[in-house]
Amino acid sequence: MSALLEITNLSQQVQVHNTWFKRRKIEILKSINLTLKQGHTLSLIGESGSGKSTLARLIAGLNQPTEGEICINGEPLEYGEHSKRCKLIRMIFQDPNTSLNPRCRIGQILEVPLALNTYLQEQQRKQRIASTLKLVGLLPEHAQYYPQMLSNGQKQRVALARALILNPKIVVADESISSLDVSVRSQIINLLLELQERFALSYIIVSNDLGMVSHMSDQVAVMHQGEIVEWATTQTLFEQPQHEITQRLLNAYNTEFKK
């Protein structure tokens, strides 16, 4: 099976003030190379500040890379091609309390990407919203609710619905389940797996929950200081970690798991 997503030599630099009159460039992502097959899940793990979220935002098109290329089915995606990219790659943000506009009803939130990126008429958009809400375990009536009227788990389902509303090929989730309690987290994980099996979705998951990573992922990339220091299938990485950063992360997880 050929790769759905190909990332080649992806880098990002930022300029910082060195003195009052001089600036210097800092490379926060360094020549990232990754591939992802359709229907598979890639997890990005690493210590805080390793570049996981930065990479996720570059893939989703929220930030502009300094160098490198992102391709879907062999076709390059250029930064700024928002309408094209958002039909292929959608993102679930970490905190639905800040990513969902509290002044808009759920239906309005879900209608925005449809109005901007499709030719669907109003009634068709309403039908798509209702069917997508049911798809993520909510009721069509929830379209009339405001975010603050929902539980955290329901808000995250709305965030998932917004990601799915344009039928993308890839969903990027940046620590989007970490704030939920254990039972709700399990429900969302099972929902993600069901949707993946049903629609052959591909996921890129940023997470430090190694239990979830081992359960959901086909492959794992370990990041450190803006670089990928290890990339392997999930089973190989968990059973035979090669890099000291990977070993440190697994040791910390195993110590916590045994408590």
Side-chain angles (χ1 to χ4, degrees), residues 68-86:
E69 189 174 61
I70 299 172
C71 294
I72 299 285
N73 287 327
E75 184 177 348
L77 286 178
E78 301 296 335
Y79 177 76
E81 293 182 317
H82 298 301
S83 181
K84 177 181 177 180
R85 188 186 294 255
C86 71

Side-chain angles (χ1 to χ4, degrees), residues 46-100:
E47 298 167 324
S48 179
S50 61
K52 306 184 300 294
S53 292
T54 300
L55 176 55
R57 292 177 69 86
L58 287 178
I59 295 170
L62 301 178
N63 293 351
Q64 183 174 8
T66 306
E67 295 178 4
E69 189 174 61
I70 299 172
C71 294
I72 299 285
N73 287 327
E75 184 177 348
L77 286 178
E78 301 296 335
Y79 177 76
E81 293 182 317
H82 298 301
S83 181
K84 177 181 177 180
R85 188 186 294 255
C86 71
K87 294 175 184 178
L88 298 170
I89 305 174
R90 300 284 287 167
M91 189 163 186
I92 307 173
F93 296 95
Q94 183 171 356
D95 185 3
N97 292 303
T98 56
S99 66
L100 300 178

